[in-house]
Amino acid sequence: MVWREKPRKSDGVLRLFTWVVLGLALLETTAYGGGRVKAEHKNAYASMMYMGTPRDYGFYVATRVMIRSLARLHVDADLVVIASVDVPLSWVRALEQEDGAKVVRVKSLNNPYKNQANFDRRFKLTLNKLYAWSLVDYDRVVMLDSDNLFLQKTDELFQCGQFCAAFINPCIFHTGLFVLKPSMDVFKDMLHQLEIGKENEDGADQGFIGAYFPDLLDQPMFHPPANGTKLDGTYRLPLGYQMDASYYYLRLRWSVPCGPNSVITFPGAPWLKPWYWWSWPVLPLGISWHEQRRQTLGYSAEMPMVVIQSVVYLGIIALTRVARPNLSKLCYRQSDKNINLVQAGVKVIAVWSIIAAYIVPIIVIPCTLHPILAWSIYFLGSFALCSIIVNAFLLPMLPVLVPWLGILGVLFAMAFPWYENGVVRALAVFGYAFCCAPVLWVSLVKIRDCLQVSLEREAFFPRLGESSPPSGFNKLY
């Protein structure tokens, strides 16, 4: 018989403390660039993901589409996502298991510029982009924003030097795509510069990296060596690696004379990113982004909501056609003192109901749905809600649907594919709006007049115990 010492309670506490210390050490190491990636290639395309904005899900979808589009181009590089520790685990698993990305979990860097006057809070966590310099398992990294649309493979970028970026602004290079050589020395120096409050014009990654590499404008243009060797130093990238989508209709049409036309970027307003269905046809190239999504990620996540909304809207249309409800009758006398107040209240309710009929469908449609499908659901939903208002307030159908027809018309005017340039397109849309304005005004007057007639001939909220208007009511006519 072998005698064993009875475990002491203090031993369990000690082991627990040891595991906690090791866990914290591992987290700290990962948080500041020590998280290692099992590299399968010498180079990597990397993007970042963090939480804390109303647009988190949209950027998650955009990142997945970009990762899959790069895989579809058969790039000779790893696909890496630098994700903050608060990114949902389900998203991380989808990126790793479904998209083939390598996810590096990091602690979000503190932004020391968040209190300066011109700081935009949506850029609070964009300094996480600096973690790209900590990916020392790779020889070169192409750091990307999620709003990039690749037209062709760009592996030649891995031949560039220690830092390379494109100037879509004449004097400021853009950090939506840049090439870097990972280095822990550079990464630690960047963290030190953050601590001492290095000057940053906008408080975001754009201003910080721009100040860290202030002389890039004076550097030579990048041209990949034909023998495949890698360059040293810093270089400017040709504009074709960062073509601004908003310039498409101005003149260029992607006939950029310098460098390959490889990457389209969408650096505009945050609510006009290409994955939002309402951004098309304001940004016509958004449909190209959705075509890439259709070929890669698909829309299975949004389809259940689309089916539910379609069934609900079709049911509303069917019920309003069958039931044709009339206004409840309110029996009132000429001597009632508050009749004007009641009429004014009903008019306000009717007007706001019409406005809501055109706004509510926008809110409930999944924001990352394909534009063609989303706009179809929008028109179905607004028509269904307008049909309720028409029957409830005894209004004529055509004036209520004038905004519906106007929105449909402006979509055709903006999406017309044969404009010579952006100026002609803008003038066409302005001319359409100028012609529609009188029609819209006439429809509003018609709605007001019909509503007034309904208020004078019909009534709302019947008094208990009365089934018909009093005799005095008929004297009005």
Side-chain angles (χ1 to χ4, degrees):
M1 179 176 179
V2 179
W3 179 83
R4 296 182 180 179
E5 182 181 359
K6 183 178 181 181
R8 292 174 296 178
K9 185 177 181 181
S10 58
D11 293 339
V13 174
L14 181 61
R15 283 196 297 271
L16 177 61
F17 177 76
T18 303
W19 281 110
V20 170
V21 171
L22 289 175
L24 291 175
L26 179 60
L27 176 62
E28 189 71 13
T29 302
T30 302
Y32 290 99
R36 302 300 297 270
V37 182
K38 185 179 179 181
E40 299 178 7
H41 296 81
K42 295 187 299 182
N43 306 302
Y45 289 96
S47 185
M48 68 172 177
M49 185 182 300
Y50 53 82
M51 307 299 291
T53 72
R55 306 176 304 279
D56 289 340
Y57 180 75
F59 277 92
Y60 161 67
V61 172
T63 301
R64 294 192 65 187
V65 171
M66 185 176 67
I67 292 295
R68 290 199 176 198
S69 66
L70 286 168
R72 192 165 175 263
L73 291 172
H74 304 291
V75 295
D76 185 20
D78 283 352
L79 306 174
V80 178
V81 177
I82 302 170
S84 59
V85 292
D86 54 354
V87 171
L89 289 177
S90 60
W91 293 10
V92 172
R93 285 194 294 268
L95 287 164
E96 291 178 334
Q97 299 173 11
E98 300 178 25
D99 304 332
K102 300 181 183 299
V103 179
V104 180
R105 305 298 295 275
V106 299
K107 179 182 177 182
S108 293
L109 294 176
N110 178 52
N111 192 320
Y113 312 103
K114 56 189 175 186
N115 295 321
Q116 67 183 35
N118 65 336
F119 183 69
D120 190 335
R121 297 194 64 83
R122 64 191 175 98
F123 297 133
K124 180 180 177 180
L125 299 178
T126 57
L127 290 175
N128 285 1
K129 193 175 290 186
L130 303 184
Y131 278 114
W133 272 271
S134 71
L135 301 176
V136 292
D137 290 320
Y138 298 106
D139 187 45
R140 293 289 191 276
V141 171
V142 176
M143 188 65 196
L144 304 166
D145 282 349
S146 300
D147 56 355
N148 283 310
L149 177 64
F150 282 78
L151 304 180
Q152 62 186 30
K153 185 163 63 173
T154 58
D155 287 355
E156 70 276 6
L157 287 173
F158 297 121
Q159 297 178 244
C160 204
Q162 275 69 24
F163 183 80
C164 310
F167 285 79
I168 61 175
N169 178 298
C171 300
I172 303 173
F173 64 81
H174 189 235
T175 57
L177 181 151
F178 58 88
V179 186
L180 64 106
K181 180 177 177 59
S183 167
M184 286 304 298
D185 291 335
V186 174
F187 178 64
K188 291 176 181 178
D189 184 61
M190 287 180 165
L191 295 183
H192 174 68
Q193 296 297 328
L194 288 178
E195 291 177 359
I196 65 176
K198 181 181 178 66
E199 183 179 357
N200 187 341
E201 184 177 354
D202 60 6
D205 64 292
Q206 178 75 58
F208 181 84
I209 298 176
Y212 199 86
F213 298 96
D215 302 325
L216 190 65
L217 185 61
D218 300 324
Q219 303 307 312
M221 186 72 71
F222 166 69
H223 298 287
N227 60 3
T229 58
K230 295 186 177 183
L231 303 174
D232 289 322
T234 55
Y235 292 85
R236 290 179 292 121
L237 293 179
L239 181 63
Y241 289 110
Q242 279 283 267
M243 298 181 290
D244 191 335
S246 60
Y247 295 157
Y248 178 75
Y249 271 113
L250 294 182
R251 276 291 181 186
L252 297 178
R253 289 184 179 272
W254 307 142
S255 298
V256 181
C258 55
N261 302 323
S262 302
V263 186
I264 303 170
T265 187
F266 298 82
W271 292 108
L272 284 179
K273 294 298 184 182
W275 47 87
Y276 296 129
W277 61 267
W278 55 79
S279 67
W280 180 87
V282 178
L283 290 175
L285 283 175
I287 203 72
S288 300
W289 186 94
H290 278 277
E291 178 61 20
Q292 193 167 93
R293 176 181 176 177
R294 186 189 66 80
Q295 296 174 0
T296 55
L297 185 62
Y299 294 88
S300 58
E302 290 89 351
M303 290 312 296
M305 185 61 69
V306 170
V307 173
I308 292 173
Q309 291 187 26
S310 300
V311 171
V312 170
Y313 292 145
L314 291 173
I316 290 174
I317 294 173
L319 287 175
T320 53
R321 293 293 296 175
V322 172
R324 290 184 176 274
N326 290 321
L327 293 172
S328 301
K329 294 187 175 181
L330 165 67
C331 300
Y332 62 88
R333 297 178 176 83
Q334 287 178 301
S335 59
D336 286 347
K337 296 180 180 180
N338 63 345
I339 188 62
N340 290 331
L341 182 61
V342 172
Q343 290 184 352
V346 172
K347 290 179 182 178
V348 170
I349 293 173
V351 171
W352 279 104
S353 297
I354 295 174
I355 295 174
Y358 289 100
I359 294 179
V360 170
I362 296 178
I363 299 174
V364 299
I365 294 174
C367 61
T368 55
L369 193 60
H370 192 285
I372 302 298
L373 184 56
W375 279 111
S376 301
I377 298 297
Y378 170 77
F379 285 116
L380 178 63
S382 57
F383 181 86
L385 297 180
C386 284
S387 65
I388 296 176
I389 298 167
V390 166
N391 285 279
F393 292 95
L394 301 181
L395 297 175
M397 177 67 79
L398 185 58
V400 175
L401 288 181
V402 162
W404 190 91
L405 296 170
I407 296 172
L408 181 63
V410 79
L411 287 182
F412 282 107
M414 295 183 71
F416 189 72
W418 296 293
Y419 291 120
E420 181 181 353
N421 53 53
V423 175
V424 175
R425 179 174 182 257
L427 289 175
V429 175
F430 176 80
Y432 174 83
F434 182 81
C435 295
C436 285
V439 179
L440 181 61
W441 177 256
V442 170
S443 68
L444 292 175
V445 172
K446 180 68 174 176
I447 291 172
R448 183 198 63 186
D449 294 342
C450 292
L451 189 59
Q452 182 65 34
V453 171
S454 297
L455 287 167
E456 292 175 351
R457 293 185 178 179
E458 301 287 340
F460 312 103
F461 315 121
R463 296 176 181 174
L464 295 176
E466 296 184 1
S467 58
S468 61
S471 58
F473 178 82
N474 293 326
K475 293 181 181 180
L476 291 172
Y477 305 97

